[in-house]
Amino acid sequence: MTASELDDATDTETNWAPTRASTAVALAGTAGGVAALSAAAGVTTGAVVAAAGATCLAVALWLLTFEQWRVPAAFAASLLLVPAGAGVATGIGYESLVAFAESFPAASKTRVVGQILHIVGVMAVLWGSTVGVFGAASSVRGVATTRSVSRCLRLVTRVALLPANLFLALAGHALVTNFEPGVFGVVGDFVAAATDWLLAPEPGSVHLFQFGVLSAAASLGVYLALRDLPTRELAGEASVGGVRVADALDVVRKGLGALVVLAVLSVPPAVVVEFVVPAEVGLNILPPAGHDLLVALTSSAGLRTLLWWVTLVSGALAGVATLVRRSSRARTRDLLAGYAPFAAGLVVVAGVAVVHRPVFDALVGFVAGRLEPPLSGRFRDLAAGVAEFYGTETVVLGLTAGVLVLAAGAVFALYVAFALRAVSDRAAGPSLAGGGLFLAAAFAGTLETPLWVVLGGVVAALVVWDAGSFATTLGSEVGRRAETRRVELLHGLTALSVGGAAALAATGLVGVVPTGTTSSELGGLSVALLGAVGGVVLLVMALR
């Protein structure tokens, strides 16, 4: 046995790939089917842009299969998710906008339903073409698997975290700042009142509850920080006055733990004194000196501010310590790969901060240029008002976050498909490619597409699915170095012949079965689709 044969035999999990000839047939069939269906439906531009986004998503999945260069591959895949979502959203959104502009306002009320169905058909063709291109691209190396999709879902969630939260913060700030009256004014007043209640108490009175809450929070934060920080390691054998620093810190930590318990137990009595029993009645048992001391402590704004900052700083230190402790248990490469999508999200935010104005102007000009004069002017006015209210940076950041959310939704849909076993790991790409083409061909028939294009799309979907599945099966059985081109081409020609025969039979039925306008008779397209379904059955029977 040669070295290459031994490699194929002993490394079957990683040393295999779909065979080239059948994969080429699947790619050619997908490209031809998408091109013909999108051109016949008049959505070529959107299909090309959406296909580019789908290809970026497939490349991102391919990068996630790298183990040796895992960190840069994860970072590159994270960045690719932005053009992936943007391509799909722009392509489908553009053609939907064009279809809407051409359909509305409708000539009459009776045509509204037909125009809506037309828009639905356009979107279905675009979505089917996009899924088909993604499936074909991911079938080249068989990268669409449960593992890669799961990793990609975690990746896109982390990438979208910073842009989405920053957008929400900026948008919320704009709402609170610009909407003084109404609901947002009430929210602002509530926040201001809560801040004064917590940090600026009324002088000369006892405020046990607020002070107790702040004391408990500060004690808990310091306790967690001392517990999680490596204080014993940092102190080592150092001592002060004959007392080891590490032992003293342990005593302080235990004391803070007891103080936290005491503060929590004191909250119910403080609530009773603060809200149920008047302070004069509840505290009259104290001597005057004790009462004055309690008033000075609980109503001191400076002391409360100090406790507030102690809570924030100690909580942050505890969080950092916990993160460092967990990170120290992981390998450096795994740790960096986990942080790569967060770094990509930071790069996305920085990019938006640099180019938000020209991007906003370009988007407004592009959309307004595709609308008729009555709608284009209204859209420009609306866009100017939104930009003035929120700011162009917030708007572009929101669009970017929306693109990432769309990408996360698409990846989540893939994850659900794998979880429900709708597609298998070994033949996921061909199944998605064939299913997407079939969906596009079926809905293309509702857009006055020529019959031969619809039937050609159905046949292409079947050939793509069969050739792609055969490529994965054969590649896993004989390895990637075996000579299988003749077998693959023969199999592809057989599938194409059966599909072509079914298409010819469907076309023949159109001329044989009578057509008309009454509900009891079948239209030509319905008969053709019926014949196409029969072709599906024949093809499956011939192949199985």
Side-chain angles (χ1 to χ4, degrees):
M1 180 179 291
T2 63
S4 61
E5 292 174 345
L6 181 62
D7 188 38
D8 278 343
T10 58
D11 196 13
T12 58
E13 291 296 325
T14 59
N15 191 33
W16 79 275
T19 53
R20 295 179 180 178
S22 295
T23 301
V25 170
L27 290 175
T30 303
V34 169
L37 291 169
S38 60
V43 294
T44 302
T45 302
V48 170
V49 177
T55 304
C56 289
L57 181 58
V59 174
L61 290 179
W62 173 64
L63 289 173
L64 292 180
T65 62
F66 282 70
E67 292 296 336
Q68 185 177 0
W69 302 96
R70 186 176 177 184
V71 177
F75 183 77
S78 301
L79 292 179
L80 274 176
L81 292 173
V82 178
V88 174
T90 303
I92 296 178
Y94 167 74
E95 294 296 350
S96 301
L97 177 64
V98 172
F100 179 85
E102 292 177 350
S103 302
F104 294 100
S108 62
K109 294 182 178 180
T110 58
R111 299 190 61 183
V112 172
V113 175
Q115 301 292 8
I116 293 175
L117 292 177
H118 175 77
I119 296 174
V120 171
V122 168
M123 295 183 65
V125 171
L126 287 169
W127 275 112
S129 301
T130 303
V131 173
V133 171
F134 168 77
S138 60
S139 65
V140 174
R141 296 291 298 178
V143 296
T145 61
T146 304
R147 183 171 180 267
S148 64
V149 170
S150 178
R151 291 180 62 181
C152 189
L153 183 59
R154 292 195 301 268
L155 202 75
V156 68
T157 303
R158 295 176 182 180
V159 175
L161 191 62
L162 180 59
N165 283 282
L166 185 57
F167 163 71
L168 292 176
L170 293 176
H173 179 266
L175 290 172
V176 174
T177 303
N178 296 321
F179 276 168
E180 286 297 335
V183 176
F184 297 102
V186 173
V187 173
D189 294 340
F190 174 78
V191 173
T195 303
D196 292 340
W197 177 80
L198 189 63
L199 300 179
E202 180 184 356
S205 301
V206 177
H207 305 281
L208 287 177
F209 179 67
Q210 302 97 309
F211 186 79
V213 169
L214 280 175
S215 300
S219 302
L220 179 61
V222 176
Y223 169 77
L224 293 176
L226 288 178
R227 186 194 66 180
D228 295 332
L229 286 171
T231 54
R232 179 173 290 276
E233 291 80 358
L234 293 175
E237 298 297 328
S239 60
V240 177
V243 179
R244 293 182 64 225
V245 175
D247 296 337
L249 290 174
D250 288 339
V251 174
V252 172
R253 185 165 46 245
K254 292 178 181 179
L256 286 171
L259 185 61
V260 170
V261 175
L262 180 62
V264 172
L265 293 177
S266 66
V267 169
V271 171
V272 173
V273 174
E274 186 78 19
F275 301 105
V276 180
V277 180
E280 294 79 6
V281 178
L283 300 175
N284 58 4
I285 59 175
L286 296 176
H291 183 273
D292 294 340
L293 178 61
L294 196 59
V295 169
L297 286 175
T298 59
S299 62
S300 174
L303 182 58
R304 291 192 179 203
T305 303
L306 176 63
L307 291 174
W308 172 255
W309 281 106
V310 167
T311 302
L312 292 180
V313 173
S314 59
L317 289 175
V320 171
T322 302
L323 184 63
V324 171
R325 188 180 297 276
R326 291 180 178 179
S327 301
S328 62
R329 299 171 183 172
R331 294 185 301 175
T332 303
R333 188 174 64 177
D334 296 339
L335 182 64
L336 294 177
Y339 287 144
F342 295 109
L346 184 61
V347 171
V348 170
V349 171
V352 170
V354 173
V355 301
H356 61 91
R357 189 68 211 189
V359 169
F360 180 81
D361 293 339
L363 288 175
V364 172
F366 178 80
V367 176
R370 268 66 184 173
L371 297 175
E372 295 297 327
L375 292 177
S376 61
R378 295 179 182 177
F379 178 78
R380 288 186 182 275
D381 294 338
L382 178 63
V386 171
E388 183 180 359
F389 186 87
Y390 289 102
T392 56
E393 184 175 4
T394 303
V395 174
V396 176
L397 185 61
L399 292 176
T400 306
V403 161
L404 289 170
V405 170
L406 177 63
V411 177
F412 179 73
L414 286 174
Y415 177 79
V416 171
F418 278 100
L420 297 178
R421 303 296 177 88
V423 291
S424 61
D425 281 3
R426 193 53 66 85
S431 299
L432 293 172
L437 271 181
F438 191 88
L439 175 67
F443 277 90
T446 67
L447 302 176
E448 299 181 357
T449 305
L451 178 60
W452 68 270
V453 176
V454 176
L455 294 178
V458 173
V459 173
L462 298 175
V463 172
V464 165
W465 167 74
D466 179 67
S469 301
F470 187 70
T472 56
T473 302
L474 193 61
S476 62
E477 290 178 352
V478 303
R480 61 185 178 185
R481 298 183 177 90
E483 181 59 41
T484 58
R485 184 174 303 174
R486 292 183 179 181
V487 176
E488 295 176 76
L489 293 179
L490 179 61
H491 185 89
L493 288 174
T494 303
L496 183 61
S497 300
V498 175
L504 291 176
T507 305
L509 287 176
V510 176
V512 174
V513 178
T515 60
T517 58
T518 62
S519 59
S520 62
E521 295 175 332
L522 295 175
L525 182 59
S526 300
V527 175
L529 291 179
L530 180 62
V533 173
V536 173
V537 177
L538 292 176
L539 179 60
V540 172
M541 292 176 62
L543 295 176
R544 303 306 178 194

